[in-house]
Amino acid sequence: MSDARVAALGAYAPRLRIAAEEFKDAWGTFDASGVETKAVPEADEDALTMGVEAARRALDQLDRDGSDLAYLAFASTTPPMAEEDLTARLASILGAPSDVTTQTATGSTRAGAQALDGALDAGPWGDDIGIVIVGDSPQGAPDSATEHAAGAGAAAVVLDGDGPGTIADRASYVEPYPGTRFRPGGSDETTGLGVTEYDRESFTTALAGAAEDIAADDVDAAAVQSPDGKLPYRATGALGVDAGTISAAETVSFLGDTGAASAFLGTAKAFDEGAERVLLAAYGSGAGANLVVVDGPVPTAAALESDAMLSYEKYLRRRGEITSDEPEGGGAYVSIPSWKRTIPQRHRLVAGRCSSCGALNFPPSGACHDCNERPDSFEDVELPGTGTVEAATTISQGGAPPEFVEQQSKSGPFVSAVVALDGPEGDETVSIPSQVLAGDQKVAIGDRVESTIRRIYTQEGVTRYGFKVQLSEVRR
């Protein structure tokens, strides 16, 4: 089937959750069958940042990093930019070589499976590795079944030539079923015609068509595309599996509809819980299906569980329904060319070692903060991303710089701190300012933190991504 093998999996879902009961209280009904809670992105999270979290977990399972990547694919139905090559940003954040082969897939909830199919055909890559990153956060009209189910999450699959996961079988199938689920150009809201029998027929026909070419009756778990908690179980006959096999990989009950990431999150959950043979069954409206049978077990790092619950009002704020944008006139203007020059620092925490005295400088420019000499050059030093809070303050409502007003209106006050980032060796540190992601915890001097990638702000229509730090004790 393919010489490429599955080496590791990573999975991530946002910390925040909302319960079905909140929708029932607000609307008098909840139209997402089988969904008990769902994951909600924080104001500075999106498909790309969630994908980075999943990718880093998968790479850590192998003690590999982005410098080993020869192939990188990104899939989402909700890319943060409608037109821009986001694989370039992912490659930068992960530290991939500039000549890495990249692919982007979108436009369908089976985009992740299509990206995986392409990666399997492209690999293996000798001593190097490939990665498929799938992140999604669908959204519908506030009173729609799509919105009631809409969750968020990301998964990543690392591929190489000798991993423990073999591709036992794979197949695809397409047949036109227009109107089952779609998002018109220029809209943020996914919708559908809502013809129930037609939608079910599309789902089962596509999956059954792909299943004709594979043997999946002996799998431990079937990770089936889950727009809600009921539809996957209608595919038991089409796939030749029973309800228990589908239940073994379901995530929709606690994450909601995770779009293109759905079947991948289910696969990660199944392997994380001890499954040895898993069917990944991705469906995309339109309609088409991709099935992949993976023989494992596969090492998996998953951060999916959380009990940080939101009220419906706070949920609407995170979704941007009752929030304000950046004030007219903008905040501290940083041009895109200027931002581009600092990308190594913002994406990978690249500091500089002074050639005169050896001190670390962040950012590595101008005079050395230690010896005050202006060296001809700084040696690039990538920091490990851990550190200690040296000073902290809370930026309350109304006190945020204008460029952060949108974030604050969605998620409330935030903590800004001076953090002593650890150097790569010994006791050396270098101090930097950063926002601190603390969940519901207070931030105190001496707290340990770890870096993560989030949205910083959007200016001139372009989203800027960079590091923030989170308390080590709240990192999942």
Side-chain angles (χ1 to χ4, degrees):
M1 291 299 296
S2 173
D3 291 332
R5 299 165 69 102
V6 179
L9 296 169
Y12 170 83
R15 179 184 65 89
L16 299 176
R17 305 295 157 92
I18 186 170
E21 286 74 15
E22 292 288 336
F23 283 82
K24 290 179 182 177
D25 290 343
W27 291 97
T29 183
F30 182 69
D31 297 323
S33 301
V35 177
E36 298 171 6
T37 66
K38 64 175 189 172
V40 182
E42 188 48 280
D44 56 358
E45 289 189 295
D46 59 23
L48 186 145
T49 66
M50 292 187 295
V52 170
E53 290 285 346
R56 286 178 169 170
R57 283 168 170 78
L59 290 168
D60 286 348
Q61 290 292 291
L62 305 173
D63 198 24
R64 304 286 289 265
D65 58 35
S67 65
D68 299 318
L69 289 172
Y71 188 96
L72 186 158
F74 175 62
S76 176
T77 68
T78 54
M81 300 288 289
E83 183 176 342
E84 183 175 300
D85 184 4
L86 292 169
T87 60
R89 301 211 206 185
L90 281 168
S92 172
I93 291 166
L94 295 175
S98 58
D99 62 352
V100 63
T101 299
T102 61
Q103 176 194 7
T104 300
T106 189
S108 165
T109 53
R110 72 179 182 122
Q114 291 172 311
L116 177 60
D117 220 29
L120 290 171
D121 289 336
W125 304 270
D127 292 332
D128 291 330
I129 57 178
I131 193 167
V132 178
I133 302 169
V134 191
D136 229 341
S137 177
Q139 189 169 343
D143 61 343
S144 68
T146 299
E147 176 64 15
H148 288 191
V157 184
V158 178
L159 304 172
D160 65 10
D162 57 4
T166 60
I167 306 302
D169 222 342
R170 57 183 170 131
S172 63
Y173 180 87
V174 293
E175 184 172 335
Y177 276 87
T180 52
R181 176 177 172 135
F182 57 91
R183 181 158 57 89
S187 174
D188 293 329
E189 296 180 354
T190 295
T191 187
L193 299 181
V195 184
T196 304
E197 287 301 321
Y198 179 75
D199 291 349
R200 292 172 182 169
E201 180 183 314
S202 169
F203 188 76
T204 56
T205 298
L207 290 171
E212 287 182 1
D213 296 325
I214 68 168
D217 56 348
D218 58 347
V219 297
D220 300 322
V224 183
Q225 191 76 38
S226 301
D228 59 36
K230 184 182 292 185
L231 194 57
Y233 294 97
R234 295 187 179 277
T236 52
L239 296 173
V241 299
D242 60 27
T245 305
I246 292 176
S247 179
E250 78 88 10
T251 60
V252 68
S253 66
F254 62 98
L255 296 182
D257 172 13
T258 51
S262 174
F264 287 81
L265 287 164
T267 299
K269 178 200 171 197
F271 278 121
D272 193 42
E273 294 180 354
E276 296 190 358
R277 184 176 172 90
V278 177
L279 167 66
L280 185 156
Y283 162 83
S285 59
N290 290 73
L291 305 187
V292 182
V293 179
V294 184
D295 279 340
V298 176
T300 302
L304 302 180
E305 302 291 342
S306 178
D307 58 2
M309 306 304 294
L310 291 173
S311 66
Y312 187 68
E313 180 224 345
K314 290 183 177 179
Y315 168 77
L316 289 180
R317 289 168 65 93
R318 295 316 194 279
R319 286 305 225 188
E321 298 290 344
I322 51 174
T323 57
S324 57
D325 297 326
E326 179 181 326
E328 191 172 345
Y333 177 70
V334 179
S335 71
I336 287 295
S338 296
W339 185 275
K340 200 275 181 191
R341 287 192 288 272
T342 62
I343 279 177
Q345 286 72 51
R346 298 181 187 276
H347 286 182
R348 300 186 305 281
L349 291 175
V350 177
R353 192 176 296 284
C354 176
S355 57
S356 298
C357 70
L360 287 177
N361 285 254
F362 190 96
S365 62
C368 172
H369 68 75
D370 202 25
C371 69
N372 297 319
E373 294 289 331
R374 192 178 183 92
D376 293 334
S377 63
F378 287 93
E379 175 193 355
D380 285 348
V381 177
E382 193 162 334
L383 304 178
T386 56
T388 305
V389 173
E390 293 183 305
T393 186
T394 298
I395 309 298
S396 299
Q397 201 72 24
E403 61 269 32
F404 296 112
V405 164
E406 181 182 2
Q407 174 193 327
Q408 191 181 69
S409 66
K410 289 181 177 181
S411 59
F414 60 86
V415 176
S416 183
V418 176
V419 176
L421 288 178
D422 300 329
E425 57 189 45
D427 296 329
E428 60 184 345
T429 63
V430 60
S431 295
I432 57 99
S434 176
Q435 281 189 28
V436 182
L437 311 176
D440 298 325
Q441 304 298 312
K442 291 189 177 296
V443 178
I445 293 172
D447 283 347
R448 293 291 291 171
V449 294
E450 301 175 32
S451 65
T452 187
I453 291 292
R454 292 291 177 97
R455 297 167 68 108
I456 304 300
Y457 57 81
T458 298
Q459 205 168 65
E460 299 177 306
V462 179
T463 298
R464 324 294 179 93
Y465 293 92
F467 74 88
K468 295 182 182 180
V469 299
Q470 56 187 329
L471 291 179
S472 296
E473 65 181 89
V474 303
R475 185 181 188 274
R476 295 181 297 120

